Each structure stands twice: as structure tokens, then as C-alpha cells.
Amino acid sequence: MRSLSDVQPGQSIGRYEFLVPIAEGGMASVWAARMKGSRGFQKHLAIKMMLAKLSDDPMFEEMFLDEARIASRIHHPNVVEIFDLGEENEVLYIVMEYVDGEPLSAIWRTSLKKQGMPIGIAVRIIADAAAGLHAAHELLDEDGAPVGLVHRDVSPQNILVTYDGNVKIVDFGVVLAHGRESAKTGVGTVKGKASYMSPEQAMGKPLDRRTDIFALGIVLYQLTTGRHPFKGDGDVATLRNILDQPCPPPSTYVPSYPKTLEAVLMKVLEKDPSRRFQTCAELEAALDRVMPPTAPRVRPADVGRFVREVVGERGERRRDALKSAVKLADEQWANHAEAQRLMARPVHDIGMTGQFSAVQGLPSGLIPLDGLPPPSRPSLYPSTGSQPSITAVASPGVYASMPPSGAVPAPKKTPVGLIAAAGLVVAAGLVVGVIAAATTTSGTKAASAPPASASTATKTAEAPSAAAVPSAAPPHASASAASSSTPDTIDALPTVGQGAPRPVAVAAQAEPTHAAPVEAKPDKETKPDKETKPKPPSGFAPPPLQKPDF
């Protein structure tokens, strides 16, 4: 379990986020929290958590659970509403209404340092508290039978007054109800605060709603006179006075005390329960008649104005702390959301380069078919010093080199296009390899034969290699043709239109050719007057050119 020292602002439990601590009592700690929803929705709540030192006591745990089960069924403006009961990581917690106000005990103590609490304000607060208690006393079970609920801990600490003047009954932790195991009191054991017990409660007798009426009378006596009617030197002396000593009339301490109010108060504090008001509704009605008809009626707005005058600074400090906690929590959520957004972005969006193709098994560098640049028809005979646009090796599984990644548009994820482009590139490599092999054979034969003259040797040396023929060379050859023997002459090569698919022209980085003819040095090194266009070797018949059908 956790206490106030274990929980930090910004932490969450379930769907609730802790903001600032509010209070810690003898049984539980209370935090201001918020619940966030979609589209910016959020609601401030209060979370009550059982103290760690009581977590191992089954009786206290059962009391904590009973408070949530029973009090959550009470719906009244003068009772703090319970919304949820949860447990996470062995932490029991109750989610309840957040009250922007102060305990009546703090308001009363602070007012004593000033001018005290006006009688009209005190009567209005107790009347509203009686209305809330009556709603709790009238609670029914699922079958419509009375639950017989008794608060048993009515005191100024458990009556909250908001800065708007609304009164709320809180803390049903020691509530008595039929069928509640944790509410059973052992012999010689009493539950509640000694200063606000009724005589029957102090003696351990069976209790009903009239014990809450007696406790509420003690609170009213304190608010209007500034004194406790049975206060002794300690709890034992106070209990003895409650049992044996008569209640002194309020006019003993306040001579101008209203007679009608004094009569009501003395009836409330009767030691015999049968002589008291039998319900809180009767008490509320009696309090509404105690003020003179000519006196202005006190409303909740008047109560709120008094509360702000007395303890308004406390409320402002708490609200400022709450705003700061919300701002800090929002910043933490924003940082977390930004981190999650960055983690969810693709790799290339955050400045990193992928090293693998989108299609598994395809080497990086190959691009899909629909990502290729527009095809072009290069010249059959490039100028001197130029390099072919394609260089391939006539071996299955070896891919043609491609231009840098920035030279072509960004690839699209088209698996069919990728496979087709890979097949065409392999086919083009096979064809160029066959041409290179054939040219090498022809060049070897020409080098082995004796030259007829120096001029003939010079022309032979100037002729370009057949391996330098670009992608407009003869078309694709099948895989079976690649595995067969190399033809002796170029005339044996297939020509365009024999049924083979046309290769796609792919721009790629230049690489050295695979074969080059043996150059024969002339007798004299002569420099031509002007650059002449190289001619093909004798006996070489280039295949007919046809415009690729793209």
C-alpha cells in the first residue's frame, strides 16, 4: 500500500492522475486528481487511499471497502458522491467528488480569531448537513428495504463547506448498516470521536439515526457559543460528562442567544433518544423556523461569502497549487506524446537512411519498375572516351549496378514491379555478356592472324569493343541460352523480333567492360589531323535497330 510519502504528483493509478495532496487522516490519505478523456475532456476528482500501516488489518480493509460500496449509493447535493472503487498493485482507492472548500473545523477555528461565526450562518450549515444525513439514513437496498445506515462519526472534520456555500457530508468509513460485518463493534469497543458521541454510543448500545442527531447538536452548540457542552480534561472525562452531566443552556455563555434556537438545541441534546428529534428531516424543519420572520433568510451564497472572508487565502493557495500541478502534468504528457510520435515515424522521416529494400530479399540499390526513369535510346556507337550506360555480368542472380539513390525518384512499394524490373535487368546482363563473349572471340582471331599492313592494324586497333554496346543491343536471351555454348560469330546471335521480351533501358553507374580487343601498335605513332568517328571491325554486322515499344 501507499501513503502520502509514497505517491508523487504526476503519477497515475488506473485512469486517474495524482495532482496535489489534500489531507491525511488516521485511516486514509486524500489526493486531488484528475481524469482525462477524449477531445480535451478532464474532471477533477479526489482519491482516497488506505494508509499503508493499516493495509495488513483485515478489519480496516473491510471498513474501507464497505464505505465505497454503501456510500456510492447515496445521491444527494449535501453528501460527497462516490464514483469508483479500484485496486492496482495492491493499492485500494476510492474515487470521489472533489470539493473546493474547507472542513467546518478549520472555518470555525479561524473565525474565532476574528469575529466568530454568525448564528444565521451556523444554523444554515447545520440544516444543510441534516438534509444530507437524512438522505443517508433513508437509503434502501436492492429489495427496497431500509439499510439502517448510521454515520457514527459526525464531527466538524467530516462536514465540508465549499467556497460557494454548499455543505457536504463526507467520510462514511465507520458507518453502521445492516449486514455489514465490519460495522460490528466488539465488547468494550466504540467507534467514532469521543467528543461527539451520544450517550448510547459511548455505552456501546445498539445505535440508530438518532445518535447522528445528537452529534450534530454538539456541533451546532460549538458553532454558536464557541464552547463544547461536555468538554472535559480528556476523552474519558468528556465521555463521563456526556453520560452523567446535564447540558448547560447556550444562554449561559451567550446571554443574547435566541430562545427558539436554544429550545431546539436542548431537545437535540437530550440523553434519552426518544426525547430527541426522531429524524434529521424534523431537525432541518425546526432549524428553518428558529430565526425571526423579520430576519433575512440566509442562503448558500451568504455562507460562501463568509467562508471566503474567513479562509479564502487557503482556497487560493490550493487552487494555485492545483493549477501548477495541472500545468506540470500537461507538459509531461506533451513530452511523452512527442516521444511516442517520434518513435512511430518512419526511419527516413527523421534523417536516417534505410539500408534494405522494402521487399525482403531484394538488395538495396534496385528500384521497382514503376520507379524507373523514362527510357532513352542511346547511340549504338558512343564517342571516344564514353562509357556504356549498363554493365552486367552474364551470371544468374547478379544484379546490374544502379545510379545513386538521389538520381531517381523515391521507390514505391510495388512488389510486382520490383520482381519484373529485377528479371529484365538480369536478362539484359545475360545479353550483354553474350555479346561481349562473341566480340572477344572475334578479336582474338583477328589478333592471331598476320596483319596485311600497318593501316589495317591501325583500323583494327581503333575499332571499339563489342562489349561497349549500350542497352539498345540485341534483346533478352533465355536462361537456357545463357547456359549453352558461346557462338563463334556474331551472326549466330538472336535479333530483335524473335519472340524474346524487350529489355528495359536502365540508367546505371558505369563500370569497365568485360573484354577488349588486342591493340596492335602501328610502325609510327601518328596523330590524326581531326578526330574521326570509329568504325566497326571488318566482318561485324550490327543487328537492325528497332525503336523499343514502351
Side-chain angles (χ1 to χ4, degrees):
M1 294 294 177
R2 295 176 180 172
S3 64
L4 283 176
S5 60
D6 300 319
V7 182
Q8 300 297 327
Q11 293 180 346
S12 297
I13 182 170
R15 54 178 178 165
Y16 308 106
E17 183 180 29
F18 293 103
L19 296 176
V20 293
I22 298 177
E24 182 171 1
M27 183 177 172
S29 59
V30 182
W31 274 74
R34 68 171 175 175
M35 177 181 66
K36 297 185 66 175
S38 60
R39 298 181 180 268
F41 171 82
Q42 62 179 348
K43 182 180 180 65
H44 287 175
L45 303 166
I47 295 183
K48 181 178 182 178
M49 296 189 306
M50 189 173 177
L51 295 180
K53 62 183 180 181
L54 301 177
S55 61
D56 296 332
D57 191 327
M59 184 188 68
F60 281 101
E61 182 173 313
E62 190 65 26
M63 290 171 57
F64 192 84
L65 294 175
D66 281 345
E67 177 183 2
R69 297 190 191 105
I70 297 174
S72 62
R73 295 158 55 186
I74 305 173
H75 304 288
H76 192 273
N78 297 119
V79 177
V80 172
E81 190 166 1
I82 304 295
F83 297 123
D84 193 11
L85 168 67
E87 180 177 7
E88 183 171 328
N89 298 327
E90 299 184 353
V91 177
L92 279 174
Y93 61 92
I94 297 174
V95 181
M96 61 184 66
E97 174 187 1
Y98 175 77
V99 178
D100 182 23
E102 305 294 339
L104 181 58
S105 57
I107 299 173
W108 174 65
R109 286 195 304 266
T110 307
S111 67
L112 292 179
K113 301 176 183 179
K114 299 181 179 180
Q115 298 178 355
M117 181 177 293
I119 291 180
I121 298 295
V123 170
R124 178 76 266 167
I125 292 174
I126 298 303
D128 289 345
L133 284 173
H134 182 71
H137 295 159
E138 294 291 315
L139 183 66
L140 305 177
D141 60 14
E142 292 82 356
D143 299 327
V147 173
L149 187 148
V150 182
H151 192 286
R152 294 199 298 181
D153 196 17
V154 175
S155 63
Q157 291 82 0
N158 293 330
I159 300 176
L160 304 181
V161 184
T162 71
Y163 288 97
D164 294 332
N166 298 315
V167 178
K168 303 278 187 178
I169 299 292
V170 70
D171 196 358
F172 288 80
V174 295
V175 68
L176 174 66
H178 295 322
R180 178 181 178 183
E181 294 298 324
S182 65
K184 295 180 179 180
T185 304
V187 178
T189 304
V190 293
K191 292 183 178 180
K193 296 181 178 65
S195 299
Y196 300 93
M197 286 185 180
S198 65
E200 62 270 24
Q201 186 177 3
M203 297 177 64
K205 294 182 178 181
L207 304 179
D208 56 26
R209 65 178 70 190
R210 293 173 294 185
T211 192
D212 290 340
I213 296 175
F214 187 90
L216 204 57
I218 296 178
V219 176
L220 180 58
Y221 196 104
Q222 278 187 299
L223 296 180
T224 54
T225 66
R227 297 173 180 267
H228 191 287
F230 306 104
K231 186 65 174 176
D233 294 336
D235 288 344
V236 175
T238 301
L239 288 175
R240 187 177 294 113
N241 292 337
I242 292 175
L243 292 172
D244 301 332
Q245 298 297 323
C247 176
S251 58
T252 304
Y253 305 106
V254 181
S256 61
Y257 201 88
K259 297 299 181 180
T260 54
L261 179 58
E262 184 176 73
V264 170
L265 189 53
M266 294 302 291
K267 183 176 182 179
V268 170
L269 294 176
E270 285 286 350
K271 297 187 185 299
D272 184 0
S274 62
R275 301 179 64 179
R276 302 175 198 152
F277 292 102
Q278 299 302 294
T279 66
C280 282
E282 293 181 5
L283 173 59
E284 180 189 7
L287 291 175
D288 285 341
R289 297 190 296 267
V290 297
M291 302 306 294
T294 57
R297 183 179 179 84
V298 178
R299 301 182 181 277
D302 302 320
V303 177
R305 186 180 305 107
F306 172 78
V307 173
R308 290 192 298 271
E309 292 175 355
V310 175
V311 291
E313 295 181 356
R314 292 181 49 157
E316 292 178 1
R317 289 195 300 268
R318 184 184 296 113
R319 283 188 287 271
D320 290 341
L322 191 60
K323 290 179 182 179
S324 300
V326 169
K327 182 178 179 181
L328 178 61
D330 289 340
E331 292 175 355
Q332 292 177 350
W333 272 104
N335 294 337
H336 176 73
E338 179 66 15
Q340 293 294 328
R341 187 182 67 83
L342 289 176
M343 292 175 64
R345 288 176 60 184
V347 177
H348 60 77
D349 283 354
I350 53 178
M352 301 179 67
T353 304
Q355 299 298 324
F356 300 97
S357 173
V359 180
Q360 184 175 4
L362 186 64
S364 58
L366 281 179
I367 57 177
L369 183 63
D370 53 3
L372 294 175
S376 60
R377 182 179 180 183
S379 173
L380 179 63
Y381 304 109
S383 60
T384 303
S386 64
Q387 297 294 334
S389 60
I390 292 181
T391 302
V393 180
S395 299
V398 179
Y399 297 85
S401 60
M402 302 300 296
S405 58
V408 295
K412 300 180 180 178
K413 295 182 179 180
T414 310
V416 177
L418 286 169
I419 296 173
L424 293 178
V425 171
V426 171
L430 293 175
V431 173
V432 175
V434 171
I435 297 175
T439 307
T440 304
T441 303
S442 176
T444 305
K445 291 181 179 181
S448 61
S453 61
S455 60
T456 304
T458 303
K459 294 180 180 180
T460 303
E462 294 176 353
S465 169
V469 178
S471 59
H476 164 72
S478 64
S480 59
S483 61
S484 61
S485 60
T486 303
D488 293 339
T489 61
I490 297 180
D491 296 334
L493 296 176
T495 58
V496 176
Q498 294 182 357
R502 301 177 183 273
V504 179
V506 184
Q509 294 176 346
E511 295 183 1
T513 56
H514 296 279
V518 179
E519 297 184 0
K521 292 185 179 182
D523 296 338
K524 296 182 181 180
E525 295 182 3
T526 58
K527 183 177 182 181
D529 297 338
K530 60 183 179 178
E531 185 177 353
T532 59
K533 183 176 182 181
K535 298 180 180 180
S538 59
F540 176 80
L545 297 177
Q546 296 185 8
K547 183 177 181 180
D549 186 11
F550 294 103

